[in-house]
Structures are given as C-alpha cells and as structure tokens.
Amino acid sequence: VVCNADEGEPGTFKDRILMEENPQLLLEGMAICGYAIDASIGYIYVRGEFRRSIERLQKAIDQAKAKGLLGKNLFGTDFSFDIFIKEGGGAYVCGEETSLINSMEGKRGYPRFKPPFPGGSGYMEKPTNVNNVETLMSVPLIIEKGADWYKSVGMTGCSGTKLYCLSGKMNKTGLVELPMGTTMREIIEKHGGGMKSGSRFKFAQVGGSAGGILGEDLMDLPLD
C-alpha cells in the first residue's frame, strides 16, 4: 500500500494539514487497505519539506506499534501490517504514481510506460495500491458510519465531501470541507468572505497547475 503524500501542486495544502492534524486516521485507512488487498507493508511517500507532517506521522506510527495496532499478527490474527515513511526529494513529477514508485526504488523520478499498471507491477515489481491522503482517510469514516451516510452529500456519481484550498485575494483563506458539487461562487463569496477590497474576481485556477482556469462566466459551475 502506497500513500501518495507528495503534494506539489501550487496552492494546495490539504494533505499537509490532514497529516499534521490527524495522522492516526491515515494510518488506520492504510491498514484497512492493506487488510482488504492482503498487503503486509505500507509506505507514505511524503514531500520532504513537510517536516511537521513527517514528525507527527512518525510519532503516530511509533504509538500505533506500541499499542499493537501495527506490527505482526494484529489482534491475534495472521494479518501483519507495518507502515514506513519515505521522504520525497521535491520533484514535482513525483506526484505521478509511477514516478513516485521509481523514486521510492532509488531511481530517477520519471514516469513509467503503462501497462503494466502499479496494481499489477508496482513497487519492486509487486502489485501496489497507490492512493492519496484524502482517499485513505475517508475509508475508516465510511466503514464506521456506512456508505449511505457518505453518499448522503455530494452529487450523483460524485459522492461525499471535498477539501478545497482557498488562496489568493479573498478575505478568508485556508481550508474548507464542503459537499462535492459546491459552486465556485459559494466557495469564494460565502466561505472565502468575498474578494478583498479593491480586488475584482478575474479567474480561479482549480486543481493546481494540472487543473483548469475558470473565469467569471463559470462562477456557478458545480465543482465535482
């Protein structure tokens, strides 16, 4: 199980905050994933600049091992699972899953030809599940509260909530969690407190540099 915590898109900081504020939830999500796919090792590939995230993740790993939540024969079963941190070198391209796997193996962080996909041949040529921080941290909540609870917000075919990073010339910047399909207008005007005095909305860049540019005519577009 590989957690892609190489958050390098401009203006994005959701994963960093999640790892800093609730590292235990990420470990639980990874362990559940490991149990589901019969994996015994998990790696968190985290951007090397995220020192606070790395420190808190390592502390959470140490605590989980001390409490018997990670390690050999968990809860008296034949399931064993350990988690290790791998620090990234800051290359933007390593946010792409096969580049990330190459970097983990000590190779140049450069995309692989696909197929084979990581699910068939990934880290050290072993079948590898690669998911991001936000996805893995949703898993324990879905198991605890049920799929219907998760699907009760959001859009058809795009369920649940999404973390939106607000930066730029708004009165309130930061991180907000909202239902999938919230419009850009609501995000900026309600949760961002509107534009700063003297500033007019021109466009928003969504999804980092790999995302899109949305102009004023798309303010009421539901973001899914």
Side-chain angles (χ1 to χ4, degrees):
V1 177
V2 173
C3 173
N4 182 349
D6 187 71
E7 188 175 39
E9 291 284 5
T12 58
F13 43 84
K14 63 181 179 62
D15 292 346
R16 175 170 59 82
I17 291 176
L18 286 172
M19 290 185 290
E20 288 177 1
E21 299 302 325
N22 198 349
Q24 292 86 359
L25 191 62
L26 177 58
L27 303 185
E28 186 178 0
M30 291 179 68
I32 291 168
C33 180
Y35 183 78
I37 67 172
D38 200 20
S40 58
I41 298 178
Y43 291 104
I44 304 172
Y45 185 94
V46 61
R47 184 157 283 264
E49 298 94 319
F50 292 174
R51 300 318 306 172
R52 184 182 289 173
S53 297
I54 291 167
E55 290 165 8
R56 292 185 178 180
L57 283 167
Q58 189 59 58
K59 185 175 181 180
I61 290 170
D62 294 342
Q63 289 172 338
K65 286 182 177 179
K67 292 186 177 190
L69 304 175
L70 289 175
K72 300 289 185 186
N73 302 114
L74 297 175
F75 307 108
T77 68
D78 58 359
F79 174 60
S80 300
F81 193 74
D82 263 317
I83 295 176
F84 304 93
I85 295 172
K86 283 193 174 280
E87 294 186 27
Y92 172 79
V93 72
C94 287
E96 191 277 327
E97 60 180 5
T98 60
S99 303
L100 182 153
I101 290 168
N102 273 341
S103 175
M104 286 176 59
E105 294 178 352
K107 301 171 184 171
R108 180 186 176 196
Y110 198 76
R112 297 178 179 180
F113 288 106
K114 293 186 272 191
F117 292 92
S121 177
Y123 180 61
M124 297 300 185
E125 299 183 1
K126 291 178 167 56
T128 304
N129 179 296
V130 184
N131 260 305
N132 63 38
V133 174
E134 194 175 354
T135 299
L136 288 163
M137 289 180 80
S138 296
V139 172
L141 301 174
I142 294 170
I143 288 179
E144 181 184 359
K145 297 177 182 291
D148 290 337
W149 166 81
Y150 189 79
K151 292 191 292 185
S152 67
V153 297
M155 306 171 71
T156 303
C158 208
S159 306
T161 61
K162 186 70 186 157
L163 293 168
Y164 297 97
C165 305
L166 307 186
S167 58
K169 294 184 177 180
M170 284 175 280
N171 285 307
K172 290 191 291 184
T173 56
L175 191 67
V176 291
E177 183 176 9
L178 300 168
M180 280 280 212
T182 303
T183 65
M184 200 161 64
R185 185 183 301 279
E186 181 183 337
I187 292 171
I188 292 169
E189 293 183 357
K190 181 179 178 182
H191 304 283
M195 302 301 293
K196 284 185 175 178
S197 179
S199 296
R200 182 178 67 83
F201 179 83
K202 296 175 183 175
F203 68 87
Q205 186 179 23
V206 296
S209 59
I213 300 290
L214 303 183
E216 206 169 4
D217 57 324
L218 294 173
M219 286 280 278
D220 294 307
L221 182 74
L223 299 181
D224 62 4

